[in-house]
Amino acid sequence: MANETLRAVRGMNDILPAGIGLWQHFEAVIRDWLASYGYQELRTPILEHTGLFKRAIGEVTDIVEKEMYTFVDELNGESLTLRPEGTASCVRAVVENNLLYDGGKRLWYQGPMFRHERPQKGRYRQFHQVGIEALGYAGPDMDIEHLLMTARLWKMLGLAEFVVLEINTLGGAESRASHRQKLIEWFEAHQDQLDEDSRRRLYSNPLRILDTKNPAMQDLVEAAPKLIDELDAAAMAHFDAVRQGLDAAGVAYRINPRLVRGLDYYNYTVFEWVTDKLGAQGTVCAGGRYDGLVAQLGGKPAPACGFAMGVERLLALMAESGQNPPGAVADAYVVNVGDAATRFAVLAAEALRDAGLKAVLHCGGGSFKSQMKKADASGARFAVIIGDDEAAAGEASVKPLRGEGPQQRVGLAELAGIITKE
Ligand code: ATP
Ligand code: MG
């Protein structure tokens, strides 16, 4: 190891300063958007007990079967897992801290998630999600809120024309049970066409067979019995209300009866926002209702729904659409040549910050010419230029770097005023 080049873990990326502008722009938009709907941030640990994810996500799912980073804490023998998603942790925290004691809660979280998948474009082993969960709300008004929220966010991010909404309903427990029985019968009758994964899931989780990405099984899956034909009146009414809410708000959607989601906890409404601009990794946001999960994790029963978006995929889509916002740029780059100038420049830069401006102090010496090059490359709006002359007089020269304008020499007291005004 000693002489090998050190590298990041495969599938886990550094986010470098050159690319950070897009992240920061996205994060700023997200905060405004969440505040405008009254959601509160929840921060949970990145590590949880492995049992939480097994219980919440389900044993027979891609995530739990093969994607989790699980290890034994050698200090006490506990099995821990890097969180692969946020809903399980959120519900655990809500139950543990009794957050629903005075009614429903609208929550959001963001941060890295970890899944041991084959890295490729739009699929990483550490990736980021922003997730939203509303707990304690049973009605379709909350499903509608989430769908309208997402539609609004795409507009705010300039992505509305690149994504489409797919929705489905999984119904309640009874319709799922009778659908499950019909699916097992259908796939039993076509055993020869099942791949290995599907054969293994036939009795443990036949619904997941519908989610297969195996091209050879698409016809079989297309023709399989549909859950929508099993729905009871309550599930139908909920779904109809969601559709009416979307129609009333003018949000377009298509019903995808094959949309089942890869996690066990969903019921009733499920949805995905998909794009055809990112190749195979086309789902940028996904979620739905999970009314049973709070009780399943030991809480007093409470209905809930939510969704999560893949930040890397959304940023890729934004970049695809030509967005490339710069990171924060300084108001002033403070050039200084000479010992007295350098001492004075420190004070000048502090004075600019006192006035609420962003100032980068040139450090490390060099000629005026080389420092001015750096000032220009920094993207700063102004160069504040200080030589020993200026320092002796307690003054600085101010030169606009973006656009025309005269160079002006002013005292320290007027410096910030000139930059603010321009
Ligand atoms: P996929 O079908 O692409 O594997 P998923 O159903 O496993 O997605 P969810 O668990 O619903 O994904 O996670 C919500 C969102 O997080 C996805 O729609 C996607 O945008 C993003 N996402 C999931 N896994 C990854 C990953 N490994 N790398 C980057 N983004 C991901
Ligand atoms: Mg997946």
Side-chain angles (χ1 to χ4, degrees):
M1 193 73 189
N3 289 321
E4 278 170 33
T5 316
L6 292 172
R7 293 187 172 282
V9 176
R10 187 164 132 81
M12 305 198 179
N13 301 310
D14 299 309
I15 302 163
L16 300 174
I20 206 72
L22 201 56
W23 283 82
Q24 290 178 340
H25 168 67
F26 175 81
E27 285 160 8
V29 171
I30 289 287
R31 278 175 198 285
D32 283 351
W33 167 69
L34 289 160
S36 77
Y37 282 87
Y39 281 70
Q40 289 181 304
E41 187 176 3
L42 172 73
R43 299 188 185 187
T44 64
I46 282 171
L47 276 180
E48 298 274 359
H49 294 292
T50 305
L52 170 66
F53 300 116
K54 288 195 177 170
R55 244 163 93 180
I57 298 169
E59 299 264 4
V60 192
T61 57
D62 280 349
I63 292 180
V64 171
E65 277 183 332
K66 53 192 182 203
E67 295 175 358
M68 295 206 303
Y69 280 92
T70 296
F71 61 94
V72 175
D73 179 344
E74 288 178 7
L75 295 179
N76 58 13
E78 283 179 344
S79 178
L80 302 178
T81 294
L82 284 166
R83 63 180 184 194
E85 57 101 52
T87 302
S89 310
C90 175
V91 171
R92 195 252 329 122
V94 163
V95 170
E96 186 171 345
N97 296 286
N98 197 25
L99 294 189
L100 297 182
Y101 79 97
D102 64 347
K105 287 285 171 297
R106 289 175 162 93
L107 303 171
W108 72 278
Y109 59 83
Q110 69 172 340
M113 306 294 160
F114 303 84
R115 297 185 193 179
H116 200 280
E117 304 195 69
R118 194 170 67 76
Q120 52 196 293
K121 182 171 182 253
R123 197 176 287 290
Y124 310 102
R125 291 180 173 175
Q126 174 173 330
F127 63 100
H128 295 76
Q129 285 185 342
V130 171
I132 275 77
E133 317 287 359
L135 301 110
Y137 302 94
D141 47 350
M142 189 52 82
D143 305 64
I144 295 166
E145 173 168 305
H146 286 174
L147 293 166
L148 299 194
M149 253 178 116
T150 46
R152 178 182 298 277
L153 180 60
W154 313 140
K155 283 192 201 143
M156 292 171 81
L157 294 172
L159 297 179
E161 59 186 299
F162 303 116
V163 289
V164 292
L165 174 61
E166 297 193 341
I167 62 172
N168 189 24
T169 177
L170 301 181
E174 278 167 29
S175 13
R176 288 179 79 166
S178 72
H179 178 235
R180 187 191 146 93
Q181 201 42 49
K182 292 199 172 146
L183 272 184
I184 291 177
E185 286 159 18
W186 171 260
F187 287 123
E188 272 178 336
H190 300 87
Q191 286 259 15
D192 52 320
Q193 297 175 49
L194 297 182
D195 60 17
E196 197 192 312
D197 263 353
S198 304
R199 221 166 284 147
R200 196 164 38 79
R201 286 174 172 167
L202 178 53
Y203 300 102
S204 57
N205 199 346
L207 194 65
R208 291 282 291 116
I209 301 178
L210 297 181
D211 211 21
T212 178
K213 288 173 180 130
N214 182 351
M217 285 179 52
Q218 294 309 310
D219 287 346
L220 181 67
V221 156
E222 200 63 59
K226 298 203 171 21
L227 181 59
I228 213 152
D229 298 330
E230 306 295 323
L231 290 187
D232 57 46
M236 229 17 170
H238 191 100
F239 194 49
D240 285 344
V242 170
R243 294 177 54 185
Q244 277 163 26
L246 290 172
D247 293 338
V251 174
Y253 59 89
R254 62 176 181 235
I255 296 175
N256 176 358
R258 285 193 41 202
L259 185 62
V260 297
R261 309 285 305 117
L263 301 82
D264 276 359
Y265 50 61
Y266 289 106
N267 68 301
Y268 275 43
T269 321
V270 289
F271 69 89
E272 288 189 358
W273 285 93
V274 296
T275 178
D276 58 9
K277 298 269 179 297
L278 295 177
Q281 272 58 253
T283 304
V284 294
C285 173
R289 188 159 273 288
Y290 52 93
D291 293 323
L293 188 59
V294 175
Q296 195 184 315
L297 295 185
K300 216 172 108 220
C305 56
F307 60 93
M309 30 196 168
V311 179
E312 280 82 356
R313 292 186 194 176
L314 285 172
L315 296 189
L317 205 49
M318 289 164 76
E320 191 88 352
S321 74
Q323 299 185 51
N324 182 24
V329 291
D331 298 303
Y333 189 95
V334 184
V335 166
N336 55 95
V337 179
D339 289 345
T342 297
R343 285 192 297 275
F344 183 61
V346 171
L347 303 180
E350 285 297 311
L352 290 171
R353 296 170 193 135
D354 286 345
L357 294 168
K358 299 195 260 307
V360 176
L361 175 66
H362 179 85
C363 287
S367 66
F368 271 118
K369 195 168 164 212
S370 72
Q371 292 194 28
M372 284 304 290
K373 261 197 190 148
K374 286 234 158 79
D376 212 27
S378 77
R381 292 164 50 227
F382 289 88
V384 169
I385 305 164
I386 301 173
D388 284 342
D389 254 16
E390 279 95 344
E395 296 178 342
S397 298
V398 181
K399 184 178 192 290
L401 293 174
R402 318 284 137 211
E404 297 302 301
Q407 182 163 322
Q408 304 176 59
R409 185 157 160 172
V410 295
L412 202 53
E414 298 134 84
L415 182 59
I418 288 204
I419 289 176
T420 310
K421 201 170 83 220
E422 301 280 337

